[in-house]
Each structure stands twice: as structure tokens, then as C-alpha cells.
Amino acid sequence: MAKYLLIMRGTDESNAAMMADIDEMMATTGRFIEEMVKAGVLLAAEGLDDPGRGVVVDFSGEAPVVTDGPYGETKELFGGFFLLDVASKQEAVEWAKRVPAAPGSKIEVRRVPGSDEVPQVDK
């Protein structure tokens, strides 16, 4: 089994569409989460707060610079995630295709490497 992160990305338009019928979206998402739990693949699922309440720490210069949200130059925001434990990338993609997402949103599917795959530093 491998871990895959389904990263929820929305636009202003897709987020507005989702918020227009938030009760139905929450109910549908709840049912989807139950399906993943029953299938034994869900490890974690979280949504994120409004980007206007966040900050970005930018390490482009000599000293880190903190900028308050919202981020006008960002076209797609990371709005939440599902962390799955599945047999393959294709299985992760199949779950991603079933996510109840608003039109215009995207889901990025990324494998989470195991600790044995991360280079270790000798001490």
C-alpha cells in the first residue's frame, strides 16, 4: 500500500459555486468520506480556513518576509485534502475522480514517499 494526497484546488468561481449550496456539498462530501472509511483507504481529510486569514512566509530574499492573505496573484488555492492509503496511483486517481467537487475545481494527486525513501542524514 502507498499513501497518496488528493489536494483540493479551487478558483474563486468554483469556491463560490461550492458555497452557494454548502449544505448539499457538505452532505455529499460526508457520504463520500464514509465510503472511503468503509473501503479502509482514508487516513485523513481536512479543509482549510479562508485564505484571507492566512499568511505566506517568503524565503526569496535574505530574510523571510511575511505577507498577509488573501493572495491576489494566486489563481488556484489549496483548499483541503484527503490522505489515502491505496495500492496504486491508479486507485488514488479513481478515488479522486469520485470526489464531489464543484465545476472548475481541480484535484492534484501526489504520492507521499515512505520514510525509507527519504535520504537520511548521518549524524
Side-chain angles (χ1 to χ4, degrees):
M1 299 294 274
K3 293 179 187 172
Y4 282 87
L5 192 63
L6 309 184
I7 302 168
M8 310 296 293
R9 296 193 180 276
T11 62
D12 288 340
E13 293 79 17
S14 67
N15 291 337
M18 182 183 68
M19 294 306 288
D21 196 3
I22 190 65
D23 292 335
E24 178 60 30
M25 179 60 78
M26 294 300 289
T28 303
T29 301
R31 289 189 296 273
F32 179 68
I33 288 172
E34 286 176 19
E35 289 178 43
M36 291 189 293
V37 168
K38 287 179 185 174
V41 300
L42 184 65
L43 298 176
E46 298 289 338
L48 298 178
D49 199 0
D50 184 292
R53 296 182 182 173
V55 299
V56 169
V57 180
D58 185 346
F59 293 90
S60 297
E62 288 186 30
V65 175
V66 178
T67 305
D68 291 329
Y71 318 107
E73 68 280 357
T74 302
K75 301 234 187 297
E76 296 178 343
L77 297 174
F78 174 23
F81 68 90
F82 296 102
L83 179 60
L84 307 182
D85 190 11
V86 294
S88 66
K89 178 180 178 181
Q90 186 56 41
E91 186 178 353
V93 168
E94 291 304 315
W95 281 107
K97 288 165 48 176
R98 294 177 57 198
V99 170
S105 56
K106 297 179 182 177
I107 298 174
E108 180 180 345
V109 178
R110 304 263 310 267
R111 191 170 79 76
V112 179
S115 59
D116 60 333
E117 298 175 89
V118 178
Q120 302 296 314
V121 178
D122 293 328
K123 293 184 180 189

